[in-house]
Amino acid sequence: MDVEANTSSASAADKIKSRSNASLAERSIAHGENDILGGENVDQVLAAKMTLINDAIDEIGFTPHHWKLFCLNGFGYAVDSLILLIQSIISTQAGYEFQPGFSTGLTIAVYVGMLVGAIFWGFSADIVGRRFAFNVSLFVSAVFTIVAGASPSWIVLGLFICLSAFGAGGNLVLDTTVFLEYLPSQNQWLLTLMAAWWGLGQLIAGLFAWAFLPNYSCADAASCTYDNNMGWRYVWYTSGAFVFVLSILRITIIRLEETPKFLLSEGKDEDALRVLRNIADKYQRPCSLTLERLQACGMTSQRRTTAARMAERLIDPREVIFHFKGLYATRKMALSTTLVWFSWLLIGLAYPLYNVFLPSYLASRGAQFGDSSQYVTWRNYAINNTCSIFGPVLAGFMCRSPWFWGRRGTMIIGALVTMIFFFCYTQVRTESENVGFTCAISFCLNIYYGTLYAYTPEVFPSAHRGTGNGVAIGFNRIMGIVSAIVAHFADTKTAVPIYICAALYIVMALVSAVLPFEPYGRRSS
């Protein structure tokens, strides 16, 4: 009888405790009504804890730690655009030397590398964490970028470009994820501003081309040798050295700890709190969150234990399925995920058609205007890429203003204005018009692109953010491969790609208008 009474008493106590935890979780969720995914709660305990973590991050506020992250994560943006554009910049001169059978092979190689990198690093970020990819990916890219300059053949060059892009493209998945998961909610607009680093990478690529190609390049395939065509190799060596310096800065300026939101999703409440307390103590900011408050919401499963277990999870297909299901947990989340991925598919076709093949188009336009010299071509290219830096800067301020309807409104405006300039560009008749309109397109295009980069991680749940980001950018890379194949069989020196791009931006604006979530004034999970 005593045993039965004790058992009954324990059972009752457990039920009371369970109801109490559920009540705490519900109150925390109610307090987090302003969270973007606040009404889409699947795991109430995790949602309640995320609300408390968001409150703590807001309480600590913006610190020098966040400025360091802004720059260090921005390096990834710069390197991604740098590697992407360098292969298109040097492909003509490398082609003169190697005389390949498939002219756009390097473009396919860079997009394949970025596709595999985005998928691999994206999935691994949700399984083994963000920190490893953040520290390693730029170094991987730097090594193969340097080695690419010494390539003895077209195939070997394509291989090293692919491996370099594997690091750069995978790194890009983590840039927005890591920065967002440390950001106070009132500063989330900085995620859009960070895309200015993308334009800086383009500018650096253009400056390297301007510095080396006009002076160290052969004139045509008939006269081309290793010795009189070193310019494209110098571009790779210099770019690789630049990326290597950035990779060293990443591990010396800041010792990145795992993001508190990832630790929370792994059931490591104590570690998540420790990371936040370290930042608060270092910069003398308040942090009133306690472990007791986190644990009072209930317990989430601690899914990661040993290194061997992490390796098992990395190759376990059930892990992939788990994270995909998390992105489609509710009808509204499923619609959002699908539309975001579709947006990346569209920009993945439009962007390469215009930007990756812009050098050949600029050269052909220059020939019409009476000056097709490499100096003028790469000068114009550098000027064009300088303008692309300021598109995300304007987008960042538009995103934080109610006058432009938040992120979705900024993307709609960016896409429609870009479309108008694309149509206008087909009527260019002078050199000054050529430079002016390409600069305007680069500026406006990056209003949309920069905002999409920021919007994507904001509307994904933190436990599945790496997967969602990785697949989104993966779709982008797939369409880059398609555009390279199309370019091989089509004439990119005509205005046809411009018309196609303009039409695609109309569709992008329509998709932006029906996206179900608006992050303006709300917090990411």
Side-chain angles (χ1 to χ4, degrees):
M1 286 288 293
D2 289 342
V3 173
E4 290 178 3
N6 288 338
T7 303
S8 176
S9 177
S11 176
D14 288 341
K15 289 179 181 178
I16 293 171
K17 184 177 179 181
S18 176
R19 284 196 297 270
S20 176
N21 287 345
S23 178
L24 282 168
E26 287 167 3
R27 287 202 297 272
S28 292
I29 291 169
H31 180 61
E33 285 178 349
N34 204 39
D35 292 355
I36 295 171
L37 301 179
E40 309 299 316
N41 296 309
V42 178
D43 186 335
Q44 283 203 338
V45 172
L46 182 58
K49 291 184 176 185
M50 283 294 176
T51 297
L52 294 176
I53 288 290
N54 275 332
D55 290 342
I57 292 173
D58 285 347
E59 183 182 16
I60 293 170
F62 197 82
T63 69
H65 180 80
H66 296 94
W67 278 123
K68 292 177 183 178
L69 285 176
F70 177 82
C71 295
L72 296 174
N73 283 287
F75 292 167
Y77 270 80
V79 171
D80 183 270
S81 62
L82 179 78
I83 301 302
L84 180 63
L85 292 186
I86 283 177
Q87 61 78 27
S88 68
I89 286 171
I90 63 92
S91 61
T92 299
Q93 292 305 133
Y96 285 161
E97 185 175 332
F98 298 131
Q99 300 183 30
F102 199 86
S103 59
T104 58
L106 299 187
T107 302
I108 294 175
V110 76
Y111 275 107
V112 167
M114 287 188 167
L115 169 62
V116 177
I119 299 299
F120 174 80
W121 295 108
F123 286 156
S124 67
D126 284 339
I127 297 173
V128 301
R130 284 75 156 121
R131 184 170 177 264
F132 177 76
F134 180 86
N135 289 333
V136 171
S137 55
L138 277 190
F139 179 75
V140 171
S141 182
V143 170
F144 290 110
T145 301
I146 295 172
V147 174
S151 300
S153 69
W154 185 258
I155 293 175
V156 174
L157 176 60
L159 173 63
F160 288 135
I161 287 175
C162 183
L163 293 172
S164 174
F166 170 77
N171 176 82
L172 189 59
V173 177
L174 272 297
D175 296 329
T176 51
T177 298
V178 170
F179 189 47
L180 177 63
E181 294 187 356
Y182 278 101
L183 264 182
S185 59
Q186 64 269 27
N187 300 106
Q188 282 182 198
W189 66 275
L190 286 172
L191 206 61
T192 302
L193 181 63
M194 194 168 72
W197 287 92
W198 174 274
L200 183 62
Q202 291 178 314
L203 172 60
I204 292 170
L207 291 175
F208 286 163
W210 192 12
F212 294 115
L213 293 182
N215 301 316
Y216 303 98
S217 298
C218 58
D220 51 46
S223 62
C224 199
T225 65
Y226 177 91
D227 293 325
N228 70 359
N229 194 39
M230 291 293 293
W232 70 268
R233 297 181 187 273
Y234 292 153
V235 171
W236 279 113
Y237 292 144
T238 309
S239 299
F242 173 70
V243 177
F244 180 74
V245 170
L246 297 185
S247 70
I248 297 300
L249 291 177
R250 270 202 168 181
I251 59 176
T252 55
I253 290 180
I254 192 171
R255 288 191 173 185
L256 184 75
E257 295 190 83
E258 199 56 78
T259 68
K261 291 185 178 181
F262 173 78
L263 292 170
L264 203 67
S265 66
E266 292 288 295
K268 299 187 178 239
D269 297 358
E270 189 172 355
D271 290 338
L273 181 60
R274 175 182 53 79
V275 171
L276 292 177
R277 286 274 176 83
N278 286 344
I279 297 173
D281 292 344
K282 183 175 181 179
Y283 298 104
Q284 299 179 341
R285 300 295 180 86
C287 182
S288 57
L289 181 62
T290 63
L291 184 62
E292 289 73 21
R293 288 181 65 197
L294 281 173
Q295 293 180 341
C297 294
M299 296 300 294
T300 51
S301 58
Q302 187 165 336
R303 305 176 66 239
R304 185 161 63 98
T305 51
T306 65
R309 176 59 184 146
M310 282 190 281
E312 289 177 16
R313 287 178 58 191
L314 196 58
I315 60 174
D316 188 347
R318 289 174 298 180
E319 285 288 336
V320 176
I321 295 171
F322 168 75
H323 290 296
F324 267 101
K325 284 183 176 179
L327 295 169
Y328 282 82
T330 68
R331 182 175 296 179
K332 195 172 181 180
M333 288 173 66
L335 176 62
S336 174
T337 298
T338 302
L339 290 177
V340 167
W341 287 350
F342 183 55
S343 297
W344 279 96
L345 200 71
L346 293 172
I347 193 70
L349 181 59
Y351 185 81
L353 279 177
Y354 171 71
N355 220 339
V356 175
F357 302 112
L358 182 61
S360 63
Y361 193 76
L362 282 175
S364 68
R365 302 297 276 188
Q368 292 177 24
F369 303 139
D371 192 346
S372 58
S373 68
Q374 286 211 36
Y375 178 87
V376 171
T377 296
W378 299 118
R379 180 204 66 187
N380 292 350
Y381 196 63
I383 293 171
N384 173 274
N385 287 324
T386 301
C387 296
S388 68
I389 296 174
F390 300 101
V393 175
L394 177 60
F397 288 101
M398 289 173 66
C399 281
R400 64 182 304 200
S401 171
W403 290 11
F404 298 103
W405 312 295
R407 273 52 155 184
R408 291 180 296 188
T410 302
M411 285 191 285
I412 293 170
I413 293 170
L416 291 178
V417 175
T418 303
M419 175 268 296
I420 292 170
F421 277 112
F422 268 125
F423 281 126
C424 292
Y425 187 54
T426 60
Q427 304 305 310
V428 165
R429 295 293 180 268
T430 68
E431 171 66 15
S432 58
E433 289 176 353
N434 181 39
V435 175
F437 275 97
T438 55
C439 288
I441 289 171
S442 288
F443 178 85
C444 298
L445 183 153
N446 279 282
I447 292 176
Y448 175 86
Y449 215 163
T451 309
L452 180 63
Y453 260 115
Y455 180 89
T456 300
E458 283 186 295
V459 297
F460 286 142
S462 60
H464 316 291
R465 185 169 284 134
T467 300
N469 247 359
V471 173
I473 297 174
F475 278 126
N476 180 278
R477 307 317 189 193
I478 289 172
M479 296 312 291
I481 296 170
V482 171
S483 68
I485 295 172
V486 170
H488 179 74
F489 297 102
D491 186 1
T492 58
K493 297 177 183 179
T494 70
V496 174
I498 306 299
Y499 284 116
I500 294 174
C501 288
L504 289 173
Y505 275 95
I506 297 174
V507 179
M508 289 181 225
L510 293 174
V511 173
S512 299
V514 297
L515 288 167
F517 295 116
E518 173 49 59
Y520 174 74
R522 307 180 75 186
R523 305 189 301 190
S524 65
S525 69

